[in-house]
């Protein structure tokens, strides 16, 4: 595939992905609204609880969330302030992934 055919195919795929995104977004937003209607409990009750605050599992979940989001500076700050010990082998793949994504986003393909 080359030239105009390539451009047509890229436009087609972008259109298809855009429609798919719209479909998923609508479904997910309805799901969120449904949860909001069902969850009538007082959130303050849950947010004030301290049982899990210093839990290594919660710290791991927070750290992995920031890694997945690509907030590598935030991961470093979280580790420093919380004292959580992150195995460097867990961090490396995320750093490589986000470096690759950053490189791809700065490259023109067309």
């Amino acid at each position: 595939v080359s030239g105009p055919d390539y451009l047509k195919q890229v436009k087609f795929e972008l259109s298809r992905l855009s429609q798919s995104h719209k479909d998923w977004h609508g479904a997910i937003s309805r799901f969120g609204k449904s949860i909001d209607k069902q969850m009538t409990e007082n959130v303050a009750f849950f947010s004030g609880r301290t049982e899990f605050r210093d839990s290594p599992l919660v710290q791991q979940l927070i750290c992995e969330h920031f890694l997945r989001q690509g907030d590598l500076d935030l991961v470093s700050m979280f580790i420093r302030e919380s004292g959580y010990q992150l195995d460097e082998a867990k961090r490396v793949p995320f750093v490589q992934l986000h470096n690759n994504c950053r490189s791809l986003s700065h490259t023109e393909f067309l």
Side-chain angles (χ1 to χ4, degrees):
V1 179
S2 65
D5 292 335
Y6 180 73
L7 189 55
K8 282 182 186 177
Q9 186 165 351
V10 168
K11 286 181 179 181
F12 173 76
E13 289 297 323
L14 284 173
S15 173
R16 190 177 63 77
L17 284 171
S18 175
Q19 185 59 45
S20 175
H21 176 268
K22 288 176 187 176
D23 294 344
W24 277 100
H25 180 74
I28 290 171
S29 90
R30 285 190 300 276
F31 183 67
K33 289 175 185 175
S34 176
I35 289 174
D36 288 342
K37 288 179 185 176
Q38 300 298 320
M39 300 293 285
T40 59
E41 289 84 11
N42 183 357
V43 176
F45 171 77
F46 295 104
S47 64
R49 300 184 69 152
T50 60
E51 291 90 21
F52 301 112
R53 188 170 292 157
D54 295 325
S55 163
L57 179 59
V58 172
Q59 291 176 337
Q60 177 184 350
L61 291 172
I62 292 169
C63 197
E64 288 178 4
H65 170 75
F66 292 147
L67 284 170
R68 285 186 187 96
Q69 296 298 316
D71 293 325
L72 304 176
D73 293 335
L74 197 51
V75 171
S76 298
M77 183 186 311
F78 177 78
I79 289 170
R80 187 173 52 252
E81 291 184 8
S82 69
Y84 177 71
Q85 299 293 318
L86 175 66
D87 183 13
E88 191 62 24
K90 286 187 178 184
R91 178 195 282 256
V92 169
F94 290 103
V95 172
Q96 291 173 343
L97 173 70
H98 289 288
N99 285 341
N100 291 343
C101 288
R102 192 175 314 116
S103 295
L104 287 171
S105 70
H106 295 313
T107 304
E108 294 261 340
F109 288 104
L110 298 176

